[in-house]
Short mmCIF file of all heavy atoms in Angstrom, two decimals:
data_model
loop_
_atom_site.label_atom_id
_atom_site.label_comp_id
_atom_site.label_asym_id
_atom_site.label_seq_id
_atom_site.Cartn_x
_atom_site.Cartn_y
_atom_site.Cartn_z
N MET O 1 -1.08 12.80 -13.77
CA MET O 1 -0.98 11.95 -12.58
C MET O 1 -2.33 11.32 -12.28
O MET O 1 -3.34 12.00 -12.16
CB MET O 1 -0.55 12.78 -11.36
CG MET O 1 0.86 13.35 -11.48
SD MET O 1 2.12 12.10 -11.27
CE MET O 1 2.00 11.82 -9.49
N GLY O 2 -2.37 10.02 -12.22
CA GLY O 2 -3.62 9.35 -11.87
C GLY O 2 -3.77 9.27 -10.36
O GLY O 2 -2.89 9.64 -9.61
N GLN O 3 -4.92 8.82 -9.99
CA GLN O 3 -5.15 8.66 -8.56
C GLN O 3 -4.41 7.43 -8.08
O GLN O 3 -4.39 6.40 -8.75
CB GLN O 3 -6.64 8.50 -8.29
CG GLN O 3 -7.43 9.76 -8.64
CD GLN O 3 -8.92 9.56 -8.40
OE1 GLN O 3 -9.41 8.45 -8.45
NE2 GLN O 3 -9.61 10.63 -8.13
N PRO O 4 -3.81 7.52 -6.91
CA PRO O 4 -3.12 6.35 -6.37
C PRO O 4 -4.13 5.27 -5.97
O PRO O 4 -5.25 5.57 -5.58
CB PRO O 4 -2.38 6.91 -5.15
CG PRO O 4 -3.18 8.10 -4.75
CD PRO O 4 -3.74 8.67 -6.02
N LYS O 5 -3.68 4.05 -6.10
CA LYS O 5 -4.53 2.94 -5.70
C LYS O 5 -3.67 1.91 -4.99
O LYS O 5 -2.62 1.52 -5.49
CB LYS O 5 -5.21 2.32 -6.92
CG LYS O 5 -6.14 1.17 -6.56
CD LYS O 5 -6.85 0.63 -7.79
CE LYS O 5 -7.77 -0.52 -7.42
NZ LYS O 5 -8.47 -1.09 -8.60
N CYS O 6 -4.12 1.50 -3.85
CA CYS O 6 -3.36 0.53 -3.07
C CYS O 6 -3.35 -0.82 -3.79
O CYS O 6 -4.40 -1.35 -4.14
CB CYS O 6 -3.99 0.39 -1.68
SG CYS O 6 -3.13 -0.80 -0.64
N ASP O 7 -2.13 -1.36 -3.99
CA ASP O 7 -2.02 -2.65 -4.68
C ASP O 7 -2.45 -3.81 -3.78
O ASP O 7 -2.71 -4.90 -4.25
CB ASP O 7 -0.56 -2.89 -5.09
CG ASP O 7 -0.14 -1.97 -6.23
OD1 ASP O 7 -1.02 -1.51 -6.97
OD2 ASP O 7 1.07 -1.74 -6.37
N ARG O 8 -2.51 -3.55 -2.50
CA ARG O 8 -2.77 -4.65 -1.56
C ARG O 8 -4.25 -4.82 -1.25
O ARG O 8 -4.78 -5.92 -1.27
CB ARG O 8 -1.99 -4.40 -0.26
CG ARG O 8 -2.04 -5.53 0.73
CD ARG O 8 -0.99 -5.27 1.81
NE ARG O 8 -0.94 -6.32 2.80
CZ ARG O 8 -1.52 -6.23 4.01
NH1 ARG O 8 -2.22 -5.18 4.34
NH2 ARG O 8 -1.40 -7.21 4.88
N CYS O 9 -4.94 -3.72 -0.96
CA CYS O 9 -6.35 -3.82 -0.57
C CYS O 9 -7.28 -3.18 -1.60
O CYS O 9 -8.49 -3.30 -1.50
CB CYS O 9 -6.57 -3.21 0.80
SG CYS O 9 -6.46 -1.42 0.85
N GLY O 10 -6.70 -2.50 -2.59
CA GLY O 10 -7.52 -1.94 -3.65
C GLY O 10 -8.11 -0.58 -3.33
O GLY O 10 -8.89 -0.04 -4.13
N LEU O 11 -7.76 -0.02 -2.20
CA LEU O 11 -8.27 1.30 -1.84
C LEU O 11 -7.80 2.34 -2.84
O LEU O 11 -6.62 2.40 -3.17
CB LEU O 11 -7.78 1.68 -0.44
CG LEU O 11 -8.19 3.07 0.05
CD1 LEU O 11 -9.69 3.11 0.34
CD2 LEU O 11 -7.41 3.45 1.30
N GLU O 12 -8.72 3.14 -3.33
CA GLU O 12 -8.36 4.18 -4.27
C GLU O 12 -8.28 5.51 -3.54
O GLU O 12 -9.15 5.84 -2.74
CB GLU O 12 -9.37 4.28 -5.40
CG GLU O 12 -9.32 3.07 -6.33
CD GLU O 12 -10.17 3.28 -7.57
OE1 GLU O 12 -10.04 4.35 -8.19
OE2 GLU O 12 -10.95 2.39 -7.89
N GLY O 13 -7.25 6.25 -3.86
CA GLY O 13 -7.06 7.52 -3.19
C GLY O 13 -7.60 8.67 -4.00
O GLY O 13 -8.04 8.51 -5.14
N THR O 14 -7.59 9.80 -3.41
CA THR O 14 -7.95 11.02 -4.09
C THR O 14 -6.78 11.98 -3.95
O THR O 14 -5.79 11.68 -3.29
CB THR O 14 -9.19 11.67 -3.45
OG1 THR O 14 -8.84 12.12 -2.13
CG2 THR O 14 -10.34 10.68 -3.34
N ILE O 15 -6.91 13.12 -4.57
CA ILE O 15 -5.85 14.11 -4.44
C ILE O 15 -5.60 14.42 -2.96
O ILE O 15 -4.47 14.54 -2.51
CB ILE O 15 -6.22 15.40 -5.19
CG1 ILE O 15 -6.33 15.10 -6.69
CG2 ILE O 15 -5.20 16.49 -4.93
CD1 ILE O 15 -5.04 14.63 -7.33
N LEU O 16 -6.66 14.48 -2.21
CA LEU O 16 -6.51 14.82 -0.80
C LEU O 16 -5.80 13.72 -0.03
O LEU O 16 -5.16 13.96 0.99
CB LEU O 16 -7.88 15.07 -0.17
CG LEU O 16 -8.59 16.33 -0.67
CD1 LEU O 16 -9.97 16.43 -0.02
CD2 LEU O 16 -7.78 17.58 -0.32
N TYR O 17 -5.95 12.50 -0.51
CA TYR O 17 -5.35 11.37 0.18
C TYR O 17 -3.97 11.01 -0.33
O TYR O 17 -3.35 10.10 0.15
CB TYR O 17 -6.26 10.14 0.04
CG TYR O 17 -7.38 10.09 1.03
CD1 TYR O 17 -8.62 9.56 0.67
CD2 TYR O 17 -7.19 10.54 2.33
CE1 TYR O 17 -9.66 9.51 1.58
CE2 TYR O 17 -8.23 10.50 3.24
CZ TYR O 17 -9.46 9.98 2.86
OH TYR O 17 -10.49 9.92 3.75
N GLU O 18 -3.51 11.72 -1.34
CA GLU O 18 -2.30 11.30 -2.03
C GLU O 18 -1.11 11.13 -1.09
O GLU O 18 -0.33 10.21 -1.23
CB GLU O 18 -1.95 12.30 -3.13
CG GLU O 18 -0.90 11.75 -4.07
CD GLU O 18 -0.91 12.51 -5.38
OE1 GLU O 18 -1.58 13.55 -5.47
OE2 GLU O 18 -0.25 12.06 -6.31
N GLU O 19 -1.01 12.00 -0.11
CA GLU O 19 0.13 11.91 0.78
C GLU O 19 0.09 10.69 1.68
O GLU O 19 1.05 10.34 2.32
CB GLU O 19 0.22 13.17 1.64
CG GLU O 19 0.58 14.40 0.84
CD GLU O 19 0.76 15.61 1.73
OE1 GLU O 19 1.09 15.43 2.92
OE2 GLU O 19 0.55 16.73 1.27
N ARG O 20 -1.08 10.05 1.72
CA ARG O 20 -1.21 8.88 2.57
C ARG O 20 -0.81 7.60 1.85
O ARG O 20 -0.86 6.53 2.43
CB ARG O 20 -2.66 8.74 3.05
CG ARG O 20 -3.01 9.79 4.08
CD ARG O 20 -4.46 9.67 4.45
NE ARG O 20 -4.72 10.27 5.75
CZ ARG O 20 -4.73 9.60 6.89
NH1 ARG O 20 -4.51 8.32 6.88
NH2 ARG O 20 -4.96 10.20 8.03
N PHE O 21 -0.46 7.73 0.60
CA PHE O 21 -0.04 6.55 -0.16
C PHE O 21 1.47 6.50 -0.24
O PHE O 21 2.14 7.51 -0.33
CB PHE O 21 -0.66 6.57 -1.56
CG PHE O 21 -2.10 6.13 -1.54
CD1 PHE O 21 -3.09 7.01 -1.14
CD2 PHE O 21 -2.46 4.85 -1.91
CE1 PHE O 21 -4.42 6.61 -1.09
CE2 PHE O 21 -3.78 4.44 -1.87
CZ PHE O 21 -4.76 5.33 -1.45
N TRP O 22 1.98 5.29 -0.21
CA TRP O 22 3.42 5.07 -0.19
C TRP O 22 3.83 4.38 -1.48
O TRP O 22 3.29 3.32 -1.80
CB TRP O 22 3.79 4.20 1.02
CG TRP O 22 3.41 4.80 2.33
CD1 TRP O 22 2.15 4.92 2.83
CD2 TRP O 22 4.28 5.37 3.31
NE1 TRP O 22 2.20 5.52 4.07
CE2 TRP O 22 3.49 5.80 4.38
CE3 TRP O 22 5.67 5.54 3.36
CZ2 TRP O 22 4.03 6.41 5.52
CZ3 TRP O 22 6.20 6.14 4.50
CH2 TRP O 22 5.39 6.57 5.55
N SER O 23 4.78 4.97 -2.17
CA SER O 23 5.28 4.35 -3.40
C SER O 23 6.65 3.74 -3.13
O SER O 23 7.45 4.29 -2.37
CB SER O 23 5.41 5.39 -4.51
OG SER O 23 4.13 5.87 -4.86
N GLY O 24 6.90 2.60 -3.72
CA GLY O 24 8.18 1.95 -3.52
C GLY O 24 8.06 0.50 -3.91
O GLY O 24 7.27 0.14 -4.78
N SER O 25 8.88 -0.34 -3.30
CA SER O 25 8.81 -1.77 -3.57
C SER O 25 8.70 -2.48 -2.23
O SER O 25 9.64 -2.54 -1.46
CB SER O 25 10.07 -2.22 -4.31
OG SER O 25 10.01 -3.60 -4.59
N TYR O 26 7.51 -2.97 -1.96
CA TYR O 26 7.24 -3.63 -0.68
C TYR O 26 6.87 -5.08 -0.95
O TYR O 26 6.15 -5.38 -1.89
CB TYR O 26 6.08 -2.93 0.04
CG TYR O 26 6.31 -1.46 0.26
CD1 TYR O 26 5.79 -0.52 -0.62
CD2 TYR O 26 7.06 -1.01 1.35
CE1 TYR O 26 6.01 0.83 -0.43
CE2 TYR O 26 7.29 0.33 1.54
CZ TYR O 26 6.76 1.26 0.65
OH TYR O 26 6.98 2.58 0.85
N THR O 27 7.39 -5.95 -0.14
CA THR O 27 7.06 -7.36 -0.30
C THR O 27 6.43 -7.89 0.98
O THR O 27 6.70 -7.40 2.08
CB THR O 27 8.31 -8.19 -0.62
OG1 THR O 27 9.25 -8.05 0.44
CG2 THR O 27 8.93 -7.76 -1.93
N GLU O 28 5.56 -8.84 0.79
CA GLU O 28 4.89 -9.46 1.92
C GLU O 28 4.86 -10.97 1.69
O GLU O 28 4.51 -11.43 0.60
CB GLU O 28 3.47 -8.94 2.06
CG GLU O 28 2.72 -9.60 3.21
CD GLU O 28 1.29 -9.11 3.31
OE1 GLU O 28 0.71 -8.69 2.28
OE2 GLU O 28 0.74 -9.15 4.40
N THR O 29 5.25 -11.71 2.71
CA THR O 29 5.14 -13.16 2.61
C THR O 29 3.75 -13.57 3.05
O THR O 29 3.33 -13.30 4.17
CB THR O 29 6.20 -13.84 3.50
OG1 THR O 29 7.49 -13.42 3.09
CG2 THR O 29 6.10 -15.35 3.36
N LEU O 30 3.04 -14.20 2.14
CA LEU O 30 1.66 -14.58 2.43
C LEU O 30 1.63 -15.89 3.22
O LEU O 30 2.61 -16.63 3.27
CB LEU O 30 0.91 -14.75 1.10
CG LEU O 30 0.93 -13.50 0.20
CD1 LEU O 30 0.22 -13.79 -1.11
CD2 LEU O 30 0.30 -12.32 0.91
N PRO O 31 0.49 -16.15 3.85
CA PRO O 31 0.36 -17.36 4.67
C PRO O 31 0.66 -18.64 3.90
O PRO O 31 1.10 -19.63 4.49
CB PRO O 31 -1.11 -17.33 5.12
CG PRO O 31 -1.45 -15.88 5.11
CD PRO O 31 -0.68 -15.29 3.95
N ASP O 32 0.44 -18.64 2.60
CA ASP O 32 0.70 -19.85 1.82
C ASP O 32 2.15 -19.96 1.36
O ASP O 32 2.50 -20.88 0.62
CB ASP O 32 -0.25 -19.94 0.63
CG ASP O 32 -0.03 -18.82 -0.38
OD1 ASP O 32 0.90 -18.02 -0.20
OD2 ASP O 32 -0.79 -18.75 -1.36
N GLY O 33 2.98 -19.04 1.79
CA GLY O 33 4.41 -19.13 1.50
C GLY O 33 4.85 -18.37 0.27
O GLY O 33 6.04 -18.24 0.02
N THR O 34 3.91 -17.86 -0.51
CA THR O 34 4.29 -17.07 -1.68
C THR O 34 4.57 -15.63 -1.25
O THR O 34 4.21 -15.21 -0.15
CB THR O 34 3.18 -17.07 -2.75
OG1 THR O 34 2.00 -16.50 -2.18
CG2 THR O 34 2.89 -18.49 -3.21
N THR O 35 5.23 -14.92 -2.13
CA THR O 35 5.57 -13.53 -1.84
C THR O 35 4.84 -12.60 -2.80
O THR O 35 4.83 -12.84 -3.99
CB THR O 35 7.09 -13.31 -1.98
OG1 THR O 35 7.77 -14.16 -1.07
CG2 THR O 35 7.45 -11.88 -1.64
N ALA O 36 4.23 -11.60 -2.23
CA ALA O 36 3.54 -10.60 -3.04
C ALA O 36 4.35 -9.32 -3.02
O ALA O 36 4.96 -8.97 -2.01
CB ALA O 36 2.14 -10.35 -2.50
N THR O 37 4.37 -8.64 -4.14
CA THR O 37 5.09 -7.38 -4.24
C THR O 37 4.10 -6.26 -4.54
O THR O 37 3.22 -6.41 -5.38
CB THR O 37 6.15 -7.44 -5.36
OG1 THR O 37 7.05 -8.51 -5.08
CG2 THR O 37 6.93 -6.14 -5.43
N PHE O 38 4.26 -5.18 -3.83
CA PHE O 38 3.36 -4.04 -4.01
C PHE O 38 4.18 -2.79 -4.33
O PHE O 38 5.23 -2.59 -3.73
CB PHE O 38 2.55 -3.79 -2.74
CG PHE O 38 1.87 -5.01 -2.21
CD1 PHE O 38 2.34 -5.65 -1.08
CD2 PHE O 38 0.76 -5.54 -2.85
CE1 PHE O 38 1.71 -6.78 -0.58
CE2 PHE O 38 0.13 -6.68 -2.37
CZ PHE O 38 0.60 -7.30 -1.24
N GLU O 39 3.70 -2.00 -5.25
CA GLU O 39 4.38 -0.76 -5.59
C GLU O 39 3.73 0.45 -4.94
O GLU O 39 4.35 1.48 -4.75
CB GLU O 39 4.42 -0.56 -7.10
CG GLU O 39 5.30 -1.60 -7.80
CD GLU O 39 5.40 -1.34 -9.30
OE1 GLU O 39 4.70 -0.44 -9.80
OE2 GLU O 39 6.19 -2.05 -9.95
N THR O 40 2.45 0.32 -4.65
CA THR O 40 1.74 1.42 -4.00
C THR O 40 0.92 0.86 -2.85
O THR O 40 0.19 -0.12 -3.01
CB THR O 40 0.80 2.12 -4.99
OG1 THR O 40 1.56 2.57 -6.12
CG2 THR O 40 0.13 3.33 -4.34
N LEU O 41 1.07 1.47 -1.70
CA LEU O 41 0.33 1.01 -0.52
C LEU O 41 -0.39 2.19 0.13
O LEU O 41 0.13 3.30 0.17
CB LEU O 41 1.28 0.41 0.51
CG LEU O 41 1.97 -0.91 0.14
CD1 LEU O 41 2.95 -1.28 1.25
CD2 LEU O 41 0.96 -2.01 -0.04
N CYS O 42 -1.56 1.91 0.67
CA CYS O 42 -2.22 2.93 1.48
C CYS O 42 -1.55 2.94 2.85
O CYS O 42 -0.74 2.07 3.18
CB CYS O 42 -3.71 2.63 1.60
SG CYS O 42 -4.10 1.13 2.52
N ASP O 43 -1.89 3.91 3.63
CA ASP O 43 -1.23 4.07 4.92
C ASP O 43 -1.46 2.86 5.82
O ASP O 43 -0.56 2.40 6.51
CB ASP O 43 -1.75 5.34 5.58
CG ASP O 43 -0.76 5.90 6.60
OD1 ASP O 43 0.46 5.76 6.37
OD2 ASP O 43 -1.22 6.45 7.59
N ASP O 44 -2.66 2.32 5.79
CA ASP O 44 -2.97 1.16 6.63
C ASP O 44 -2.13 -0.04 6.26
O ASP O 44 -1.56 -0.71 7.11
CB ASP O 44 -4.46 0.82 6.52
CG ASP O 44 -5.32 1.79 7.29
OD1 ASP O 44 -4.77 2.57 8.10
OD2 ASP O 44 -6.54 1.79 7.09
N CYS O 45 -2.06 -0.34 4.95
CA CYS O 45 -1.29 -1.48 4.51
C CYS O 45 0.20 -1.26 4.76
O CYS O 45 0.92 -2.18 5.14
CB CYS O 45 -1.54 -1.76 3.03
SG CYS O 45 -3.21 -2.39 2.71
N HIS O 46 0.65 -0.05 4.55
CA HIS O 46 2.06 0.26 4.79
C HIS O 46 2.40 0.00 6.25
O HIS O 46 3.41 -0.62 6.56
CB HIS O 46 2.33 1.72 4.43
CG HIS O 46 3.75 2.14 4.63
ND1 HIS O 46 4.19 2.77 5.77
CD2 HIS O 46 4.84 1.98 3.83
CE1 HIS O 46 5.49 3.00 5.65
NE2 HIS O 46 5.91 2.54 4.50
N SER O 47 1.54 0.42 7.14
CA SER O 47 1.77 0.21 8.57
C SER O 47 1.81 -1.27 8.89
O SER O 47 2.62 -1.74 9.70
CB SER O 47 0.67 0.88 9.39
OG SER O 47 0.73 2.28 9.20
N SER O 48 0.93 -2.05 8.24
CA SER O 48 0.88 -3.48 8.49
C SER O 48 2.16 -4.18 8.07
O SER O 48 2.65 -5.08 8.74
CB SER O 48 -0.30 -4.11 7.74
OG SER O 48 -1.52 -3.59 8.23
N LEU O 49 2.71 -3.76 6.93
CA LEU O 49 3.92 -4.40 6.43
C LEU O 49 5.16 -3.96 7.19
O LEU O 49 6.03 -4.76 7.48
CB LEU O 49 4.08 -4.10 4.94
CG LEU O 49 3.02 -4.66 4.00
CD1 LEU O 49 3.45 -4.50 2.56
CD2 LEU O 49 2.73 -6.12 4.30
N VAL O 50 5.25 -2.69 7.47
CA VAL O 50 6.44 -2.16 8.12
C VAL O 50 6.54 -2.67 9.56
O VAL O 50 7.63 -2.84 10.10
CB VAL O 50 6.43 -0.62 8.10
CG1 VAL O 50 7.54 -0.05 8.96
CG2 VAL O 50 6.58 -0.14 6.66
N ARG O 51 5.40 -2.98 10.12
CA ARG O 51 5.37 -3.45 11.51
C ARG O 51 6.12 -4.78 11.65
O ARG O 51 6.66 -5.10 12.70
CB ARG O 51 3.92 -3.62 11.95
CG ARG O 51 3.75 -4.06 13.39
CD ARG O 51 2.28 -4.32 13.64
NE ARG O 51 1.77 -5.32 12.72
CZ ARG O 51 0.46 -5.51 12.48
NH1 ARG O 51 -0.42 -4.76 13.06
NH2 ARG O 51 0.06 -6.45 11.65
N ASN O 52 6.13 -5.60 10.59
CA ASN O 52 6.75 -6.92 10.67
C ASN O 52 8.28 -6.83 10.81
O ASN O 52 8.89 -6.04 10.17
CB ASN O 52 6.42 -7.75 9.43
CG ASN O 52 4.92 -8.03 9.38
OD1 ASN O 52 4.27 -8.14 10.41
ND2 ASN O 52 4.40 -8.14 8.16
ZN1 ZN V 1 -4.22 -0.85 1.36
#
């Protein structure tokens, strides 16, 4: 198992932080109208996306 890394902001996790990372398929519509897909998000980014 490698260390998790946030696809959105690039934050790298450690074993201690592993539970704070979210795996799945998350999409975000960017200001320019394109859509970005993330498979791994840190807790901060996950909160930002889920809030929408
Ligand atoms: Zn992040």
